[in-house]
Amino acid sequence: MVSDEMLYLMMNKKRLEAEQGGKYIAIYKNKIIAAGKTIHEVYERTRKIEVNNPLVVYIPRKGEEALLI
Protein backbone atom coordinates (compact mmCIF):
# COMPACT_ATOMS: atom_id res chain seq x y z
CA MET A 1 0.00 0.00 0.00
CA VAL A 2 1.29 3.43 -0.96
CA SER A 3 0.70 6.41 1.33
CA ASP A 4 -1.33 9.40 0.21
CA GLU A 5 1.80 11.52 0.52
CA MET A 6 3.78 9.22 -1.78
CA LEU A 7 0.95 9.26 -4.33
CA TYR A 8 0.94 13.07 -4.18
CA LEU A 9 4.69 13.06 -4.80
CA MET A 10 4.41 10.73 -7.78
CA MET A 11 1.43 12.55 -9.33
CA ASN A 12 3.06 15.98 -9.01
CA LYS A 13 6.67 15.12 -9.86
CA LYS A 14 7.10 17.56 -12.76
CA ARG A 15 5.45 20.48 -10.96
CA LEU A 16 7.41 19.85 -7.79
CA GLU A 17 10.64 19.61 -9.77
CA ALA A 18 9.91 22.99 -11.39
CA GLU A 19 8.74 24.76 -8.21
CA GLN A 20 10.78 23.10 -5.45
CA GLY A 21 13.85 21.76 -7.26
CA GLY A 22 16.95 21.72 -5.07
CA LYS A 23 14.93 21.82 -1.82
CA TYR A 24 13.69 19.44 0.82
CA ILE A 25 9.94 19.38 1.32
CA ALA A 26 7.57 17.89 3.87
CA ILE A 27 4.28 16.52 2.58
CA TYR A 28 1.35 15.77 4.84
CA LYS A 29 -2.19 14.93 3.75
CA ASN A 30 -1.54 15.87 0.11
CA LYS A 31 -0.12 19.27 0.99
CA ILE A 32 3.39 20.72 1.21
CA ILE A 33 3.68 21.87 4.81
CA ALA A 34 7.34 22.92 4.82
CA ALA A 35 10.20 23.51 2.41
CA GLY A 36 13.82 24.45 2.89
CA LYS A 37 17.41 24.14 1.72
CA THR A 38 18.30 21.56 4.39
CA ILE A 39 16.52 18.56 5.84
CA HIS A 40 17.11 19.98 9.33
CA GLU A 41 15.31 23.19 8.41
CA VAL A 42 12.29 21.22 7.19
CA TYR A 43 12.16 18.95 10.24
CA GLU A 44 12.37 21.99 12.52
CA ARG A 45 9.43 23.62 10.74
CA THR A 46 7.32 20.46 10.95
CA ARG A 47 8.15 20.12 14.64
CA LYS A 48 7.02 23.71 15.29
CA ILE A 49 3.63 23.11 13.67
CA GLU A 50 3.38 19.78 15.51
CA VAL A 51 2.89 17.48 12.54
CA ASN A 52 3.90 13.87 13.19
CA ASN A 53 5.36 11.67 10.48
CA PRO A 54 5.24 13.82 7.34
CA LEU A 55 6.93 12.51 4.22
CA VAL A 56 10.19 14.47 3.91
CA VAL A 57 11.98 14.22 0.58
CA TYR A 58 14.60 16.01 -1.48
CA ILE A 59 13.30 17.28 -4.82
CA PRO A 60 16.11 17.17 -7.36
CA ARG A 61 16.61 20.01 -9.79
CA LYS A 62 15.77 19.25 -13.40
CA GLY A 63 18.55 17.04 -14.74
CA GLU A 64 19.93 16.29 -11.28
CA GLU A 65 20.05 12.68 -10.16
CA ALA A 66 18.72 11.80 -6.72
CA LEU A 67 20.83 9.41 -4.68
CA LEU A 68 18.74 6.89 -2.81
CA ILE A 69 20.30 5.18 0.17
Side-chain angles (χ1 to χ4, degrees):
M1 178 175 209
V2 177
S3 70
D4 290 341
E5 291 81 7
M6 186 59 79
L7 286 173
Y8 175 87
L9 181 64
M10 291 185 302
M11 299 295 288
N12 294 284
K13 182 181 182 290
K14 294 287 184 192
R15 182 180 61 81
L16 291 171
E17 190 177 76
E19 295 174 3
Q20 303 292 339
K23 296 180 184 176
Y24 290 87
I25 63 169
I27 303 169
Y28 185 72
K29 295 187 178 180
N30 295 325
K31 183 175 160 186
I32 297 173
I33 58 167
K37 292 182 181 181
T38 69
I39 197 167
H40 302 292
E41 197 177 317
V42 172
Y43 274 118
E44 183 63 24
R45 289 179 182 163
T46 62
R47 189 184 65 76
K48 284 181 181 179
I49 60 174
E50 299 179 357
V51 172
N52 294 323
N53 300 318
L55 174 63
V56 178
V57 296
Y58 176 75
I59 304 297
R61 292 178 183 93
K62 187 172 178 133
E64 181 181 45
E65 294 290 328
L67 175 62
L68 300 176
I69 299 175

